[in-house]
Amino acid sequence: MFIGHFAVALGAKKYAPMVSLGMLFLACQLADLIWPSLVLLGVEKFEIAPGDTVLTPLRFTHYPYSHSLLAMSAWSILLAGIYLLLRNGGVRAFLVIAMVVISHWLLDFISHRADMPITLSESTLVGLGLWDHPALAVSGEMLLFAIGTWIYSRQTRAVDKIGNYGFWGLVIFLVTIYAANILGPPPPSVAAVTWSAEALWLLVAWGFWVDRHRVPAIPGQH
Ligand SMILES: [Zn+2]
């Protein structure tokens, strides 16, 4: 699951217009942003296993701190709580950010095989395995992303060229990475995957940048 997570962030803008898209990106991808650093520290583990599931060559063997339901619930409260303290966005922003963080677990639960932990002990692993049905998984994720993009583009309007081209460039870039991941060869090494996952932080920055050049759209002006 990749652009499906971003779809949630884009759509969430409707429910918390005061929260930057960058913040919503941080929330929707928090699990995958924490994960590579934990892998680099040797705390979490994965393997490259082409053909393991149809849609991903990655086999997640140990990721309780970034991807268990328990840890992600804690991360959601932490991130939303920090936002509440620093930006004073109110209860609505708190709830939206927390729910977007948790949505990552739900979407991964739908797409992953039964490798999603509930608690830190990883004694129970769950997952519906949508990735084993590639046509359904890809079309579902693309549809979700189209809806999210549509909502964000309706809820906000560009105030300058950055707000316009920067946003649509971001949309195209996300779809391109998604396509390259699915259609490209399996990654050469664990390190390559880990460092490209670290590069996802740039997308968070891109979200903040674009959002600063867009304002809430006035209803009826489309
Ligand atoms: Zn994930």
Side-chain angles (χ1 to χ4, degrees):
M1 183 65 59
F2 180 67
I3 53 175
H5 295 307
F6 289 94
V8 174
L10 288 159
K13 184 74 176 177
K14 180 176 165 72
Y15 304 97
M18 71 297 271
V19 179
S20 169
L21 185 63
M23 187 65 200
L24 295 168
F25 276 5
L26 178 62
C28 81
Q29 280 292 70
L30 190 61
D32 287 0
L33 289 164
I34 296 167
W35 171 69
S37 294
L38 292 177
V39 171
L40 288 172
L41 290 168
V43 176
E44 299 202 336
K45 289 187 173 56
F46 74 96
E47 294 160 5
I48 293 174
D52 210 28
T53 67
V54 183
L55 264 189
T56 176
L58 306 184
R59 182 188 293 156
F60 303 99
T61 50
H62 182 58
Y63 57 173
Y65 303 104
S66 66
H67 275 77
S68 70
L69 182 58
L70 183 76
M72 289 191 62
S73 305
W75 288 119
S76 74
I77 293 166
L78 186 72
L79 186 70
I82 290 171
Y83 187 89
L84 190 68
L85 287 175
L86 296 182
R87 303 301 300 268
N88 201 12
V91 179
R92 176 180 274 262
F94 178 90
L95 288 176
V96 169
I97 291 169
M99 278 176 358
V100 172
V101 175
I102 291 289
S103 76
H104 187 105
W105 192 89
L106 279 175
L107 290 178
D108 276 6
F109 162 71
I110 293 167
S111 43
H112 286 214
R113 57 157 59 173
D115 65 15
M116 296 291 296
I118 303 282
T119 63
L120 300 184
S121 73
E122 295 183 300
S123 51
T124 307
L125 298 172
V126 292
L128 300 181
L130 186 62
W131 272 342
D132 285 323
H133 309 276
L136 196 62
V138 173
S139 53
E141 201 172 346
M142 292 290 285
L143 179 67
L144 209 58
F145 186 69
I147 295 170
T149 303
W150 182 75
I151 292 174
Y152 182 84
S153 69
R154 297 266 308 174
Q155 290 295 317
T156 62
R157 65 176 176 83
V159 291
D160 56 19
K161 282 186 175 159
I162 295 175
N164 187 20
Y165 299 118
F167 172 64
W168 291 107
L170 173 64
V171 168
I172 292 165
F173 186 72
L174 286 169
V175 174
T176 308
I177 304 180
Y178 182 58
N181 275 334
I182 293 171
L183 304 172
S189 64
V190 165
V193 175
T194 311
W195 285 107
S196 48
E198 290 283 14
L200 290 179
W201 284 99
L202 296 174
L203 291 171
V204 175
W206 197 338
F208 275 111
W209 181 56
V210 158
D211 202 87
R212 256 197 296 271
H213 295 266
R214 297 179 71 93
V215 291
I218 299 149
Q221 272 201 354
H222 287 285

